[in-house]
Amino acid sequence: MSLGRGEEKSLLLEDLPTEVLLVIFKYCTLKTLGNICQTCQRLNSVVNDFIWYGRSQKALVTNQISADIKNRSSHLLSAGTKCRIAYNWVRGRYSEKIYHPFKTKHLPWLVLERDRLWLSKGKYIRAFQRKSTGLVQSSSLFLKGHSDDVCRFVSVDGLIVSGGRDGSICGWSSDSGRLQFCHSGSHRADIVTVDMCNGIVVSGSHDKSVKVWGVSEQDVLCPRLSIDVGDRIWSIALRSQGDLCCVGSAGHQRIPPLHLFDMERGCEVVQLEHNTKAGAGMLDIHWESPNEFLSGGYDTYLGLWDVRTGCKQLTWEDPYDSVIYSLASDNMYTMFCGMALHGRVHLWDKRHRRTVGKYFMSARHSSPVYGVAFDPCNLFAVLDQSLHVLDFSVFKTTPGIRNCP
């Protein structure tokens, strides 16, 4: 059909070349892009294939790039969903549920997996199944073995390994809950931290020693090495290869609060540079890569260290000068810190110096965040009397709070 005189063919946005559309969409806000996606099939395809994908790779919390975050994600998100939920994390839009409130105060710990969340309370470890409606306590996975409180535990390759105040190390099958070993008298004092990698278990205690154990094919814990650090141990983290162990101590008696030990020889391999005050102990450590790890504790700083130089590369200071009790990371951009007061969790972006977000758990009293874990949609934080789950996949802008038994 030919156009008559005076008639002009109007050029629509969807008629523009893809290259031109990408230039225009680059200046659009998240809300505007969402509205554009609902106009027509072509614009929706351009935004999803080019804009959402590029932004999702750089998104905070939801990028799902590292294998670690994929292994604990209940499902993989589309590029557009990643951007939307990342916006909720930064803006603080979430709903909160409180699970399994404790009658007495404890020093709990948690470990997050794709299908389960493990939680220690007193001398027991419980499993919660992750459902679309929330957490459901598993009646069959109730781990017993310690005679006193569990201080720290890990889940590696189908094995749950824990250390307790009774000085013993216990191990269970994560599938059946069967107790596979219980090595009593492993240390002369409380075992406050453990880690495991490639069949090697490392434990740290207030008796100022670090011990290395091997797990045999008969599920027997065999002693291999004992290291006298000379100061109380607070935290331990094994490198993924299992050849290097980072130990955080109390920082007393002029002994640095961070140490790196060779697991075969038991000797300190790198002297880390320190300018900390006495008592600035390290309460948690997390390996970011084979050459970098995060540390946090009484010095109130989140620090990124490089083992090749033995120096701190970057630091992030808590704006309220509070002690860091627990750490979590996606090994990319996202870092979480569980703080000592008011049930507060801080969100940091490794690419920026200032804090991105902070979340306060709705507890009845001030409590440290003893353990923190996350996936792209949820933040899990355990306080001295309750487990809190913040859901950031919601569409509502006002946080809702609901107590769950």
Side-chain angles (χ1 to χ4, degrees), residues 178-355:
R178 180 178 64 88
L179 181 65
Q180 300 189 201
F181 59 81
C182 183
H183 196 284
S184 59
S186 302
H187 286 265
R188 299 188 306 272
D190 302 358
I191 299 177
V192 296
T193 180
V194 294
D195 200 3
M196 182 179 177
C197 181
N198 298 332
I200 298 175
V201 175
V202 181
S203 59
S205 170
H206 282 172
D207 64 5
K208 304 181 181 181
S209 69
V210 173
K211 293 188 178 182
V212 183
W213 314 80
V215 181
S216 67
E217 296 180 356
Q218 293 75 28
D219 295 330
V220 177
L221 203 63
C222 306
R224 289 188 178 181
L225 190 66
S226 181
I227 305 170
D228 184 10
V229 179
D231 199 3
R232 288 180 301 165
I233 309 301
W234 282 116
S235 55
I236 276 178
L238 277 168
R239 191 160 68 172
S240 58
Q241 295 89 336
D243 60 336
L244 197 63
C245 182
C246 187
V247 177
S249 60
H252 291 299
Q253 303 175 12
R254 298 184 180 179
I255 297 176
L258 276 175
H259 319 262
L260 284 169
F261 291 101
D262 186 291
M263 287 293 91
E264 292 185 0
R265 296 176 295 168
C267 60
E268 194 164 6
V269 294
V270 178
Q271 292 288 337
L272 296 176
E273 187 178 285
H274 286 282
N275 294 308
T276 56
K277 298 180 181 179
M282 297 299 169
L283 297 178
D284 204 3
I285 301 168
H286 175 81
W287 283 94
E288 287 283 283
S289 70
N291 296 312
E292 295 177 326
F293 66 89
L294 294 170
S295 68
Y298 286 104
D299 62 349
T300 73
Y301 286 88
L302 175 62
L304 178 65
W305 297 81
D306 193 319
V307 300
R308 294 165 294 189
T309 62
C311 298
K312 189 181 291 186
Q313 301 298 306
L314 294 169
T315 57
W316 295 267
E317 183 180 6
D318 180 67
Y320 305 106
D321 197 34
S322 183
V323 176
I324 298 174
Y325 264 68
S326 53
L327 298 175
S329 168
D330 66 353
N331 301 333
M332 289 296 297
Y333 315 119
T334 310
M335 302 175 294
F336 284 96
C337 295
M339 311 309 295
L341 297 173
H342 310 302
R344 176 166 56 97
V345 176
H346 257 220
L347 169 62
W348 298 89
D349 188 337
K350 196 181 295 184
R351 298 162 292 187
H352 302 285
R353 305 297 296 167
R354 300 183 64 180
T355 182

Side-chain angles (χ1 to χ4, degrees), residues 1-9:
M1 178 178 179
S2 60
L3 296 175
R5 181 178 295 179
E7 294 183 6
E8 296 182 0
K9 183 179 180 180

Side-chain angles (χ1 to χ4, degrees), residues 3 9 19 38 68 87 91 96 101 103 138 151-153 161 178 214 226 245 258 268 271 286-287 291 333 364 366:
L3 296 175
K9 183 179 180 180
E19 293 78 7
Q38 302 178 45
D68 183 57
Y87 182 78
R91 300 293 294 179
E96 181 180 12
K103 293 183 179 180
S138 174
C151 295
R152 191 68 63 95
F153 67 94
V161 178
R178 180 178 64 88
S226 181
C245 182
L258 276 175
E268 194 164 6
Q271 292 288 337
H286 175 81
W287 283 94
N291 296 312
Y333 315 119
R364 296 180 180 178
S366 178

Side-chain angles (χ1 to χ4, degrees), residues 94-101 131-136 361-364 386-391 394 396 398-405:
Y94 59 85
S95 63
E96 181 180 12
K97 292 183 181 180
I98 303 175
Y99 291 88
H100 200 55
K131 305 290 186 180
S132 58
T133 55
L135 299 177
V136 178
M361 307 301 116
S362 56
R364 296 180 180 178
S386 53
L387 169 65
H388 298 251
V389 182
L390 308 187
D391 182 4
V394 296
K396 295 181 179 179
T398 304
I401 300 174
R402 181 165 62 92
N403 294 331
C404 298

Side-chain angles (χ1 to χ4, degrees), residues 157-175:
D157 298 330
L159 186 66
I160 304 287
V161 178
S162 67
R165 295 185 61 187
D166 54 3
S168 63
I169 300 175
C170 295
W172 299 266
S173 168
S174 60
D175 294 327

Side-chain angles (χ1 to χ4, degrees), residues 115-167:
D115 301 319
R116 300 191 191 104
L117 181 133
W118 298 91
L119 175 68
S120 66
K121 172 193 171 185
K123 58 184 179 181
Y124 306 115
I125 300 175
R126 305 167 187 264
F128 291 83
Q129 300 292 334
R130 298 182 62 185
K131 305 290 186 180
S132 58
T133 55
L135 299 177
V136 178
Q137 185 171 331
S138 174
S139 58
S140 59
L141 295 175
F142 186 75
L143 310 185
K144 305 177 183 179
H146 288 279
S147 60
D148 207 338
D149 290 354
V150 174
C151 295
R152 191 68 63 95
F153 67 94
V154 293
S155 176
V156 180
D157 298 330
L159 186 66
I160 304 287
V161 178
S162 67
R165 295 185 61 187
D166 54 3

